[in-house]
mmCIF file of all heavy atoms in Angstrom:
data_model
loop_
_atom_site.group_PDB
_atom_site.id
_atom_site.type_symbol
_atom_site.label_atom_id
_atom_site.label_comp_id
_atom_site.label_asym_id
_atom_site.label_seq_id
_atom_site.Cartn_x
_atom_site.Cartn_y
_atom_site.Cartn_z
ATOM 1 N N MET A 166 8.253 1.927 23.916
ATOM 2 C CA MET A 166 8.694 0.736 23.232
ATOM 3 C C MET A 166 9.526 1.157 22.028
ATOM 4 O O MET A 166 9.168 2.036 21.268
ATOM 5 C CB MET A 166 7.490 -0.123 22.753
ATOM 6 C CG MET A 166 7.844 -1.355 21.976
ATOM 7 S SD MET A 166 6.389 -2.213 21.434
ATOM 8 C CE MET A 166 6.376 -3.564 22.550
ATOM 9 N N PRO A 167 10.683 0.484 21.804
ATOM 10 C CA PRO A 167 11.504 0.833 20.652
ATOM 11 C C PRO A 167 10.764 0.411 19.352
ATOM 12 O O PRO A 167 9.887 -0.410 19.350
ATOM 13 C CB PRO A 167 12.762 -0.001 20.846
ATOM 14 C CG PRO A 167 12.404 -1.067 21.789
ATOM 15 C CD PRO A 167 11.262 -0.570 22.619
ATOM 16 N N GLU A 168 11.142 1.076 18.251
ATOM 17 C CA GLU A 168 10.500 0.762 16.971
ATOM 18 C C GLU A 168 10.817 -0.655 16.501
ATOM 19 O O GLU A 168 10.074 -1.247 15.730
ATOM 20 C CB GLU A 168 10.874 1.810 15.905
ATOM 21 C CG GLU A 168 10.183 3.104 16.119
ATOM 22 C CD GLU A 168 10.247 3.975 14.897
ATOM 23 O OE1 GLU A 168 10.285 3.446 13.788
ATOM 24 O OE2 GLU A 168 10.219 5.194 15.110
ATOM 25 N N GLN A 169 11.999 -1.163 16.903
ATOM 26 C CA GLN A 169 12.395 -2.511 16.606
ATOM 27 C C GLN A 169 12.702 -3.215 17.878
ATOM 28 O O GLN A 169 13.409 -2.671 18.737
ATOM 29 C CB GLN A 169 13.551 -2.550 15.642
ATOM 30 C CG GLN A 169 13.182 -2.164 14.211
ATOM 31 C CD GLN A 169 14.329 -2.502 13.286
ATOM 32 O OE1 GLN A 169 15.451 -2.193 13.567
ATOM 33 N NE2 GLN A 169 13.980 -3.176 12.172
ATOM 34 N N LEU A 170 12.224 -4.463 17.998
ATOM 35 C CA LEU A 170 12.488 -5.273 19.172
ATOM 36 C C LEU A 170 13.627 -6.232 18.868
ATOM 37 O O LEU A 170 13.924 -6.494 17.714
ATOM 38 C CB LEU A 170 11.245 -6.019 19.582
ATOM 39 C CG LEU A 170 10.032 -5.197 19.994
ATOM 40 C CD1 LEU A 170 8.830 -6.097 20.183
ATOM 41 C CD2 LEU A 170 10.317 -4.413 21.248
ATOM 42 N N ASP A 171 14.194 -6.761 19.913
ATOM 43 C CA ASP A 171 15.204 -7.790 19.789
ATOM 44 C C ASP A 171 14.571 -8.950 19.016
ATOM 45 O O ASP A 171 13.465 -9.334 19.265
ATOM 46 C CB ASP A 171 15.629 -8.252 21.173
ATOM 47 C CG ASP A 171 16.727 -9.243 21.144
ATOM 48 O OD1 ASP A 171 16.526 -10.362 20.571
ATOM 49 O OD2 ASP A 171 17.830 -8.975 21.655
ATOM 50 N N PRO A 172 15.286 -9.506 18.015
ATOM 51 C CA PRO A 172 14.699 -10.599 17.246
ATOM 52 C C PRO A 172 14.277 -11.798 18.082
ATOM 53 O O PRO A 172 13.385 -12.580 17.675
ATOM 54 C CB PRO A 172 15.863 -10.994 16.294
ATOM 55 C CG PRO A 172 16.715 -9.816 16.215
ATOM 56 C CD PRO A 172 16.585 -9.113 17.555
ATOM 57 N N ASP A 173 14.827 -11.965 19.282
ATOM 58 C CA ASP A 173 14.441 -13.055 20.174
ATOM 59 C C ASP A 173 13.121 -12.772 20.898
ATOM 60 O O ASP A 173 12.531 -13.672 21.464
ATOM 61 C CB ASP A 173 15.543 -13.358 21.178
ATOM 62 C CG ASP A 173 16.790 -13.866 20.544
ATOM 63 O OD1 ASP A 173 16.705 -14.500 19.456
ATOM 64 O OD2 ASP A 173 17.904 -13.673 21.110
ATOM 65 N N ASP A 174 12.683 -11.519 20.890
ATOM 66 C CA ASP A 174 11.422 -11.144 21.526
ATOM 67 C C ASP A 174 10.292 -11.735 20.683
ATOM 68 O O ASP A 174 10.200 -11.495 19.506
ATOM 69 C CB ASP A 174 11.302 -9.608 21.596
ATOM 70 C CG ASP A 174 10.135 -9.143 22.461
ATOM 71 O OD1 ASP A 174 9.032 -9.757 22.361
ATOM 72 O OD2 ASP A 174 10.320 -8.192 23.212
ATOM 73 N N PRO A 175 9.405 -12.520 21.297
ATOM 74 C CA PRO A 175 8.327 -13.179 20.568
ATOM 75 C C PRO A 175 7.350 -12.162 19.910
ATOM 76 O O PRO A 175 6.662 -12.502 18.962
ATOM 77 C CB PRO A 175 7.600 -14.016 21.595
ATOM 78 C CG PRO A 175 8.049 -13.567 22.922
ATOM 79 C CD PRO A 175 9.387 -12.856 22.733
ATOM 80 N N ARG A 176 7.356 -10.929 20.364
ATOM 81 C CA ARG A 176 6.500 -9.908 19.778
ATOM 82 C C ARG A 176 7.087 -9.267 18.505
ATOM 83 O O ARG A 176 6.395 -8.589 17.761
ATOM 84 C CB ARG A 176 6.236 -8.803 20.810
ATOM 85 C CG ARG A 176 5.628 -9.312 22.070
ATOM 86 C CD ARG A 176 5.567 -8.177 23.124
ATOM 87 N NE ARG A 176 6.931 -7.707 23.442
ATOM 88 C CZ ARG A 176 7.233 -6.636 24.131
ATOM 89 N NH1 ARG A 176 6.226 -5.875 24.577
ATOM 90 N NH2 ARG A 176 8.418 -6.296 24.402
ATOM 91 N N SER A 177 8.389 -9.482 18.259
ATOM 92 C CA SER A 177 9.064 -8.739 17.184
ATOM 93 C C SER A 177 8.451 -8.989 15.798
ATOM 94 O O SER A 177 8.387 -8.072 14.994
ATOM 95 C CB SER A 177 10.556 -9.059 17.190
ATOM 96 O OG SER A 177 10.765 -10.421 16.871
ATOM 97 N N SER A 178 8.020 -10.176 15.554
ATOM 98 C CA SER A 178 7.453 -10.465 14.211
ATOM 99 C C SER A 178 6.122 -9.802 13.980
ATOM 100 O O SER A 178 5.689 -9.548 12.858
ATOM 101 C CB SER A 178 7.364 -11.981 13.952
ATOM 102 O OG SER A 178 6.483 -12.552 14.913
ATOM 103 N N HIS A 179 5.398 -9.498 15.068
ATOM 104 C CA HIS A 179 4.075 -8.895 14.948
ATOM 105 C C HIS A 179 4.108 -7.367 15.034
ATOM 106 O O HIS A 179 3.177 -6.709 14.656
ATOM 107 C CB HIS A 179 3.149 -9.402 16.059
ATOM 108 C CG HIS A 179 2.976 -10.899 15.957
ATOM 109 N ND1 HIS A 179 2.284 -11.540 14.976
ATOM 110 C CD2 HIS A 179 3.440 -11.885 16.789
ATOM 111 C CE1 HIS A 179 2.287 -12.844 15.171
ATOM 112 N NE2 HIS A 179 2.996 -13.092 16.247
ATOM 113 N N LEU A 180 5.196 -6.804 15.535
ATOM 114 C CA LEU A 180 5.329 -5.354 15.668
ATOM 115 C C LEU A 180 5.259 -4.679 14.301
ATOM 116 O O LEU A 180 4.678 -3.597 14.171
ATOM 117 C CB LEU A 180 6.591 -4.986 16.428
ATOM 118 C CG LEU A 180 6.720 -3.493 16.769
ATOM 119 C CD1 LEU A 180 5.526 -3.043 17.649
ATOM 120 C CD2 LEU A 180 8.042 -3.242 17.483
ATOM 121 N N GLY A 181 5.837 -5.287 13.288
ATOM 122 C CA GLY A 181 5.770 -4.749 11.966
ATOM 123 C C GLY A 181 4.356 -4.612 11.444
ATOM 124 O O GLY A 181 4.009 -3.654 10.767
ATOM 125 N N VAL A 182 3.498 -5.549 11.763
ATOM 126 C CA VAL A 182 2.102 -5.520 11.390
ATOM 127 C C VAL A 182 1.410 -4.337 12.086
ATOM 128 O O VAL A 182 0.664 -3.579 11.468
ATOM 129 C CB VAL A 182 1.383 -6.841 11.709
ATOM 130 C CG1 VAL A 182 -0.149 -6.695 11.435
ATOM 131 C CG2 VAL A 182 1.974 -7.978 10.888
ATOM 132 N N TYR A 183 1.704 -4.167 13.383
ATOM 133 C CA TYR A 183 1.141 -3.060 14.107
ATOM 134 C C TYR A 183 1.583 -1.727 13.481
ATOM 135 O O TYR A 183 0.784 -0.812 13.310
ATOM 136 C CB TYR A 183 1.587 -3.134 15.601
ATOM 137 C CG TYR A 183 1.075 -1.973 16.422
ATOM 138 C CD1 TYR A 183 -0.205 -1.983 16.959
ATOM 139 C CD2 TYR A 183 1.868 -0.855 16.643
ATOM 140 C CE1 TYR A 183 -0.678 -0.936 17.716
ATOM 141 C CE2 TYR A 183 1.414 0.201 17.410
ATOM 142 C CZ TYR A 183 0.138 0.156 17.931
ATOM 143 O OH TYR A 183 -0.331 1.232 18.674
ATOM 144 N N GLN A 184 2.841 -1.585 13.126
ATOM 145 C CA GLN A 184 3.357 -0.388 12.548
ATOM 146 C C GLN A 184 2.714 -0.151 11.150
ATOM 147 O O GLN A 184 2.397 1.017 10.812
ATOM 148 C CB GLN A 184 4.859 -0.433 12.445
ATOM 149 C CG GLN A 184 5.519 -0.362 13.810
ATOM 150 C CD GLN A 184 6.984 -0.740 13.798
ATOM 151 O OE1 GLN A 184 7.482 -1.436 12.903
ATOM 152 N NE2 GLN A 184 7.706 -0.331 14.859
ATOM 153 N N TRP A 185 2.522 -1.207 10.395
ATOM 154 C CA TRP A 185 1.868 -1.062 9.074
ATOM 155 C C TRP A 185 0.428 -0.582 9.285
ATOM 156 O O TRP A 185 -0.056 0.300 8.563
ATOM 157 C CB TRP A 185 1.899 -2.423 8.358
ATOM 158 C CG TRP A 185 1.101 -2.384 7.074
ATOM 159 C CD1 TRP A 185 1.493 -1.818 5.904
ATOM 160 C CD2 TRP A 185 -0.161 -2.978 6.855
ATOM 161 N NE1 TRP A 185 0.495 -2.004 4.950
ATOM 162 C CE2 TRP A 185 -0.523 -2.728 5.528
ATOM 163 C CE3 TRP A 185 -1.045 -3.710 7.674
ATOM 164 C CZ2 TRP A 185 -1.714 -3.154 4.970
ATOM 165 C CZ3 TRP A 185 -2.220 -4.145 7.100
ATOM 166 C CH2 TRP A 185 -2.570 -3.859 5.798
ATOM 167 N N LEU A 186 -0.301 -1.153 10.251
ATOM 168 C CA LEU A 186 -1.675 -0.745 10.530
ATOM 169 C C LEU A 186 -1.703 0.772 10.905
ATOM 170 O O LEU A 186 -2.612 1.505 10.525
ATOM 171 C CB LEU A 186 -2.280 -1.539 11.645
ATOM 172 C CG LEU A 186 -2.694 -2.953 11.319
ATOM 173 C CD1 LEU A 186 -2.996 -3.752 12.605
ATOM 174 C CD2 LEU A 186 -3.894 -2.978 10.390
ATOM 175 N N THR A 187 -0.715 1.206 11.628
ATOM 176 C CA THR A 187 -0.591 2.614 12.022
ATOM 177 C C THR A 187 -0.438 3.462 10.781
ATOM 178 O O THR A 187 -1.103 4.518 10.647
ATOM 179 C CB THR A 187 0.594 2.827 12.978
ATOM 180 O OG1 THR A 187 0.418 2.016 14.140
ATOM 181 C CG2 THR A 187 0.721 4.270 13.389
ATOM 182 N N PHE A 188 0.383 3.020 9.826
ATOM 183 C CA PHE A 188 0.561 3.735 8.581
ATOM 184 C C PHE A 188 -0.781 3.801 7.784
ATOM 185 O O PHE A 188 -1.192 4.859 7.284
ATOM 186 C CB PHE A 188 1.632 3.074 7.717
ATOM 187 C CG PHE A 188 1.603 3.564 6.298
ATOM 188 C CD1 PHE A 188 2.075 4.820 5.937
ATOM 189 C CD2 PHE A 188 1.066 2.723 5.287
ATOM 190 C CE1 PHE A 188 2.015 5.244 4.612
ATOM 191 C CE2 PHE A 188 1.012 3.178 3.979
ATOM 192 C CZ PHE A 188 1.461 4.409 3.636
ATOM 193 N N VAL A 189 -1.440 2.652 7.657
ATOM 194 C CA VAL A 189 -2.732 2.629 6.912
ATOM 195 C C VAL A 189 -3.743 3.563 7.529
ATOM 196 O O VAL A 189 -4.398 4.342 6.821
ATOM 197 C CB VAL A 189 -3.277 1.193 6.859
ATOM 198 C CG1 VAL A 189 -4.670 1.143 6.250
ATOM 199 C CG2 VAL A 189 -2.315 0.239 6.092
ATOM 200 N N GLN A 190 -3.837 3.519 8.882
ATOM 201 C CA GLN A 190 -4.811 4.380 9.553
ATOM 202 C C GLN A 190 -4.412 5.888 9.420
ATOM 203 O O GLN A 190 -5.261 6.696 9.077
ATOM 204 C CB GLN A 190 -4.888 4.022 11.025
ATOM 205 C CG GLN A 190 -5.933 4.825 11.773
ATOM 206 C CD GLN A 190 -6.005 4.450 13.254
ATOM 207 O OE1 GLN A 190 -5.059 3.997 13.837
ATOM 208 N NE2 GLN A 190 -7.184 4.628 13.817
#
Side-chain angles (χ1 to χ4, degrees):
M166 178 182 255
E168 286 197 29
Q169 287 192 311
L170 297 173
D171 184 297
D173 294 333
D174 190 317
R176 303 172 298 167
S177 65
S178 61
H179 301 290
L180 187 59
V182 173
Y183 178 83
Q184 292 166 338
W185 173 76
L186 286 168
T187 301
F188 165 75
V189 172
Q190 184 180 28

